[in-house]
Amino acid sequence: MAYRIVWSPKAIDDTDSIALYISRDSTSYAAAVVRKILNTARSLESFPFAGRVVPELDDTNIRERLVYSYRIIYRIEETTVTVAAVIHGKRLLDAGQLG
């Protein structure tokens, strides 16, 4: 079954901020990172449960995939996967940060 991917406004803003930050040093690397984030999110259509459960939240429907040093945090609900946030891997997450 294919899941529908939806991006929260926060996840979009997070990704834009990541691109802007990286582009200060290298626009080509920024583009590569964003491309990898988008491709990884796209792969959730077929394999949403491939990501690990977010350890801070311990909810089997809130998972993450790692891309370089970033965490793609997403929520699985019925046939929809919502990309809720994209944060640096060293940051801890609390439920209030989900978009």
Side-chain angles (χ1 to χ4, degrees), residues 3-7 41-46 48 79-83:
Y3 286 74
R4 184 171 69 99
I5 306 298
V6 176
W7 284 73
R42 217 172 276 120
S43 76
L44 299 173
E45 288 178 342
S46 300
T79 61
T80 302
V81 172
T82 303
V83 178

Side-chain angles (χ1 to χ4, degrees), residues 3 8 13-15 18 30 32-33 41-42 51 55-56 61 76 79 98:
Y3 286 74
S8 72
D13 289 346
D14 291 344
T15 305
I18 290 165
V33 170
R42 217 172 276 120
E56 301 95 306
N61 291 321
I76 304 167
T79 61
L98 296 179

Side-chain angles (χ1 to χ4, degrees), residues 21-40:
Y21 179 77
I22 295 171
S23 69
R24 293 179 193 167
D25 293 324
S26 171
T27 56
S28 62
Y29 184 62
V33 170
V34 170
R35 189 169 34 255
K36 181 76 170 173
I37 288 170
L38 296 175
N39 288 339
T40 300

